[in-house]
Amino acid sequence: MIGYGPRAPRVVWPGGARVAISLVLNYEEGGENHILHGDAQSEAFLSDIAGAAPWPGQRHWNMDSIYEYGARAGFWRLHRLFTERALPVTIYGVATALARSPEQVKAMKEAGWDIASHGLKWVEHRDMPEAEERAQIAEALRLHTEVVGEPPRGWYTGRCSVDTVALTAATGALDWISDTYDDDLPYWLELGERDQLVIPYTLEANDMRFATSPGWVTGQDFGQYLIDSYETLLAEGGRMFSIGLHCRLIGRPGKLAGLVRFLDHVAEKGGAWFATRSQIADFWAATYPSLRYERPSRMDRDTFVARYGSIFEHSPWIAERAWQLELGPAHDTAAG
């Protein structure tokens, strides 16, 4: 609950930029729930079908068609927009979706985009047994490497479980993971012996709100929200701005117009460093490396009492009672 608190670093991004902008394009088309993919039902998430529900044991032809739009039309519209402006992009690529999209993967690689893993399939993980999720993570890494030609440096499941962050970090294979939404800056997470870099993502500066309520109605709604966010972060300085995009959503012409207005605004205003998430990870690791220190919240009782037992009138019983209360990261500071 504290994070950087009042000690947030005064970040100066490369080139003196005040805001680091991460454009993320989620590539999920071909990895969604589908009986042809061995799933029990059709997809129902993030489409233009209002109130969509899964169809057990059946194909949902309209849902199929909407997802296909993302692959055959939306992706290419976005590819043209970003390559014409020479903007770096991070792909969150579902491994099975990438495997079914060789032309799109070829275009991503030729553009020099950062292709991160978005899991094996675009399905819910909340009720998935830990062993099954671990196996799917391993298979996603294997298939991604086969299809893309190199392993992913980053990971984002999205429809994750409570185990996802720990399981992906435990692979030791990822420079960064993004299954959190808890900060405007990257940070290090201590998981066992591993110090894992976390680059938080966003569900609010995200075109998914074209398909949820409350959400965006017009491209202008989305574009204005992005502009307002950028202006606030620009004034603060030293922050990161993630923007979440989907081929089948922002790839529609009317929705895309808002994104274009935002990109035009930033180009005119200046102060931004457009970067892939792996570029941000490299900068952060070099500039703000992980530093471990002894934390009160992680001490056993005897260590805690020995260290802090003399602070209040040399009365160890006060430290003993303090240790028995709820101790967490928020108490790893003098104020805590």
Side-chain angles (χ1 to χ4, degrees):
M1 290 295 189
I2 188 168
Y4 290 111
R7 293 165 295 279
R10 295 182 178 274
V11 182
V12 178
W13 300 106
R18 293 180 61 80
V19 183
I21 298 181
S22 169
L23 296 171
V24 175
L25 180 58
N26 293 262
Y27 196 86
E28 299 155 352
E29 290 78 7
E32 72 276 12
N33 282 284
H34 202 295
I35 61 171
L36 296 182
H37 300 164
D39 300 308
Q41 59 195 17
S42 64
E43 185 56 71
F45 192 44
L46 295 189
S47 81
D48 290 321
I49 301 175
W55 288 11
Q58 297 184 57
R59 291 183 65 177
H60 191 316
W61 188 260
N62 290 351
M63 185 66 71
D64 287 2
S65 185
I66 286 173
Y67 267 75
E68 190 171 1
Y69 182 93
R72 64 186 288 163
F75 171 83
W76 298 107
R77 178 171 287 120
L78 291 160
H79 181 267
R80 289 191 296 272
L81 172 66
F82 295 139
T83 55
E84 287 172 0
R85 295 180 181 232
L87 291 172
V89 173
T90 296
I91 296 289
Y92 283 171
V94 174
T96 50
L98 296 176
R100 295 182 173 107
S101 304
E103 291 285 351
Q104 290 88 341
V105 171
K106 180 174 182 289
M108 295 172 194
K109 294 177 65 176
E110 290 177 347
W113 292 352
D114 178 23
I115 309 177
S117 180
H118 198 6
L120 181 64
K121 301 175 68 174
W122 178 229
V123 298
E124 284 286 357
H125 292 70
R126 64 181 183 183
D127 297 320
M128 189 177 290
E130 182 179 328
E132 182 180 348
E133 185 173 10
R134 183 184 292 108
Q136 287 211 8
I137 291 169
E139 176 58 14
L141 294 172
R142 185 205 66 78
L143 182 59
H144 183 108
T145 303
E146 176 183 321
V147 171
V148 177
E150 58 185 3
R153 295 187 57 190
W155 182 283
Y156 174 74
T157 298
R159 299 162 86 170
C160 67
S161 76
V162 70
D163 300 314
T164 299
V165 170
L167 289 175
T168 50
T171 66
L174 300 161
D175 293 334
W176 54 270
I177 57 179
S178 284
D179 275 302
T180 71
Y181 313 93
D182 51 5
D183 213 304
D184 296 312
L185 289 174
Y187 61 87
W188 296 95
L189 190 62
E190 296 179 12
L191 293 168
E193 297 300 315
R194 180 170 179 78
D195 292 346
Q196 178 65 63
L197 183 62
V198 176
I199 303 181
Y201 188 46
T202 178
L203 296 181
E204 45 88 38
N206 193 310
D207 69 355
M208 67 179 289
R209 292 180 61 188
F210 280 111
T212 60
S213 180
W216 319 121
V217 177
T218 68
Q220 180 67 24
D221 296 334
F222 183 49
Q224 191 59 53
Y225 187 84
L226 296 182
I227 290 171
D228 290 345
S229 298
Y230 181 68
E231 287 294 330
T232 300
L233 295 172
L234 189 67
E236 291 180 359
R239 297 291 182 266
M240 184 184 71
F241 185 20
S242 295
I243 299 172
L245 307 168
H246 298 76
C247 302
R248 63 192 176 280
L249 295 175
I250 200 67
R252 297 282 181 174
K255 296 170 184 172
L256 187 78
L259 177 61
V260 171
R261 290 190 186 99
F262 163 73
L263 294 175
D264 288 344
H265 177 84
V266 174
E268 180 179 350
K269 192 69 176 283
W273 175 46
F274 282 93
T276 68
R277 293 177 97 71
S278 289
Q279 288 174 324
I280 292 172
D282 289 340
F283 169 83
W284 204 262
T287 312
Y288 303 100
S290 176
L291 297 173
R292 289 203 172 200
Y293 59 91
E294 197 170 34
R295 301 172 187 269
S297 64
R298 297 187 181 184
M299 294 178 182
D300 61 33
R301 176 184 175 279
D302 290 344
T303 303
F304 184 89
V305 173
R307 190 63 48 82
Y308 299 107
S310 65
I311 286 181
F312 194 88
E313 297 185 351
H314 299 279
S315 301
W317 64 269
I318 295 179
E320 290 174 358
R321 291 188 181 183
W323 186 86
Q324 292 169 1
L325 298 174
E326 179 184 276
L327 290 177
H331 303 106
D332 290 337
T333 65

